[in-house]
Amino acid sequence: MSSIIQLLPDHVANQIAAGEVVQRPASVVKELLENSVDAGSTEIKLIVKDAGKTLIQVIDNGKGMSVTDARLCFERHATSKIRHAEDLFALHTKGFRGEALASIAAIAHVELKTRQEQDELGTHLVIEGSKFTSQDVAVLPRGTSFAVKNLFFNIPARRNFLKSDTVEFRHVIDEFERVAMAHHNIGFILYHNGSEMFNLPAGNQRQRIVNIFGGRTNEKLVPVKESTEIVEITGFVTKPEFAKKNKGEQFFFVNDRFIKSGYLHHAVMAAYEGLLKDGCQPGYYLYLDVPPNTIDINIHPTKTEIKFDDEHALYAILRSTIKHSLGQFNIAPVLDFDRDANLDTPYSYEGKEASIPMVEVDRNYNPFAAEDPVKSAASRSFSSSSSFSGVPAFKKDRQPSWESLYIVTSPAQEEIAEINFESEEVTGSLFNDSEVEQAVYKTYQIHKKYIVSPIKSGMVIIDQKRAHQRVLYEQFLKNITVQHAASQQLLFPLVLHYNQQELAIITDTKEALENTGFVFAEINNDHIVVNGLPVNVAESEVSILLEELLNDLQQEVPDSSFSQTDSIAKSMARSLAVKTGTQLTEKEQETMVNALFACKEPDVSPFNKPTFITISVEDLDKRFAI
């Protein structure tokens, strides 16, 4: 019987390895940027076209490669980082397995230009699908230029699985930001389709964070610093009042390498215990420096997960360090038993003796005696003379005699005594007046959550939150589709600050948002200016609404215009719907019922949850049957 097992050809093995290393254009960006960092570069440029599908080029001014190294770097398991197995536990660089460049060359057209400082001429290599097509000597600047073109050109199935340019570019920005934040002493520049997206000069940690996430980030940061034998912690956390509902700006760096760790994230959340609102997440940018022999970074192909030797000690140190920083900068409440400034004696009272209070009583006062003008005057003079220095005189106004309580006042006197109160007008309502007038049926609200409405066969119990979500969802979806919605103009424009990634999402969804009623006067590099709002959106709700919308769009990552429109309508409906615990008037309840059953799909909310249940009279009779 012939043997079944055979060795794979090199080009097939490289394509299989590429499936683990290169998942999307952002994976190539990560590997090339880390190689440039390892080369000792001080300036790195990233040039991207069509979100990396057409071109990914990284240009650095590092030490470059010789002719031999330029050929060997594309071989599998060829690396300059390790020589022995023990070197895996003493790594100070990014890549070390020697698979990245070989995998990239197997699925793309690669062009490499490199020159070392001591050489007069450099090397120019061209590779297509792991095959060297040309190698020339060229006049080049010091450093390396690595261009990857037509990614997945020989694997069309993998290319078809790529998302839209908008989504893929978001992932590219994520990888770019992570590498740039880990190496603040290196200058980074990002170009996309000929436009400069980021220009980050070399600086300190705070400057790099502010340059990436916008100038308003500076006021949110609380510095964190601690040094122990186990770990050295530096970085920043955000103040509790700036917490968001998404996990966007949360970064852990271990030995200048971005990682994801749910265990360390729990330590940060424990430090914020009692300071955050429900469902909110703090932002943090934490840099941990640990001995290389105490971690294992070779447990995941992307090297974003790390195994620590002593996780419990690291958890306790991180939690206490953040808690100390929040208390040190008066962010969290602290107990101080030294002294209370409110108990200090003022300087003006120093050396003075305390005055002894005195009480004097009018022994001749009789509340039942008839009103005597002479005695009344004497009583008033006694009351005024009874006050002395430092102690106020307590006096009670003389009340009329008890017979006056039974005197019937005339209507004229009642009109004089009438008091008019200023009425408080209701400026806003949950529903339009025209809709309220159409309400017919009697409804009831239970526990500020459910609306009960009688029908011929029994009764309907409606969840007010889900019902309102369905009503608003279809309303927003109609406005976006028809491209016509009413808008209320603001007297003073709103200026809202966002980072580059959030601004990119707002730019992509600008047309859909304008169809719901938003009016954008300006979308700048770090802020937007809003001139108009949808009719049912209050000015105080704009920042919360857009924050939740950005969070939903980042989580769901819609690919097509239809799904993007659907996501916007769902997010706005969820943010603006009446919340559980809101008291509704009888007219608002009836209007809610009528609006729900006027929808195309009243049975379910936009999130496929039931909006109402029906209980028939027969069901009630069964419950009462004995």
Side-chain angles (χ1 to χ4, degrees), residues 257-275:
R257 185 191 303 273
F258 172 79
I259 68 160
K260 298 177 181 178
S261 175
Y263 190 70
L264 297 182
H265 172 75
H266 190 275
V268 177
M269 296 299 296
Y272 277 90
E273 185 178 3
L275 300 176

Side-chain angles (χ1 to χ4, degrees), residues 497-510:
H497 295 263
Y498 297 101
N499 58 40
Q500 292 287 341
Q501 189 171 359
E502 293 171 339
L503 288 173
I505 298 176
I506 293 176
T507 303
D508 294 336
T509 59
K510 178 184 177 183

Side-chain angles (χ1 to χ4, degrees), residues 133-148:
T133 58
S134 67
Q135 177 176 345
D136 301 317
V137 178
V139 178
L140 302 170
R142 182 177 70 91
T144 302
S145 172
F146 207 113
V148 178

Side-chain angles (χ1 to χ4, degrees), residues 251-301:
F251 299 90
F252 281 116
F253 299 95
V254 176
N255 294 355
D256 293 335
R257 185 191 303 273
F258 172 79
I259 68 160
K260 298 177 181 178
S261 175
Y263 190 70
L264 297 182
H265 172 75
H266 190 275
V268 177
M269 296 299 296
Y272 277 90
E273 185 178 3
L275 300 176
L276 299 175
K277 298 178 182 179
D278 293 337
C280 290
Q281 297 276 342
Y284 52 80
Y285 320 87
L286 297 173
Y287 300 81
L288 284 67
D289 190 5
V290 299
N293 60 347
T294 61
I295 58 174
D296 184 5
I297 60 178
N298 195 28
I299 62 174
H300 195 274

Side-chain angles (χ1 to χ4, degrees), residues 207-226:
Q207 291 172 340
R208 179 54 53 88
I209 294 171
V210 171
N211 288 335
I212 291 177
F213 298 103
R216 294 294 296 271
T217 310
N218 191 32
E219 63 184 76
K220 306 177 185 179
L221 301 180
V222 177
V224 176
K225 189 173 183 180
E226 185 63 51

Side-chain angles (χ1 to χ4, degrees), residues 26 63 71 104 170 197 217 248 331 334 361 431 449 457 544:
K63 57 186 178 183
R71 293 279 303 209
I104 293 171
R170 286 183 207 156
M197 304 298 297
T217 310
I331 305 301
V334 296
V361 181
F431 304 97
K449 184 176 182 180
S457 60
I544 301 175

Side-chain angles (χ1 to χ4, degrees), residues 155-198:
I155 312 179
R158 175 63 68 89
R159 189 177 181 87
N160 292 335
F161 274 104
L162 293 178
K163 306 296 183 182
S164 63
D165 289 356
T166 303
V167 176
E168 293 297 340
F169 186 59
R170 286 183 207 156
H171 290 285
V172 170
I173 290 179
D174 285 340
E175 296 295 345
F176 176 81
E177 290 177 349
R178 293 167 183 175
V179 177
M181 289 179 63
H183 303 278
H184 53 82
N185 56 339
I186 301 176
F188 288 88
I189 302 176
L190 170 60
Y191 296 96
H192 183 231
N193 293 336
S195 301
E196 183 181 283
M197 304 298 297
F198 287 95

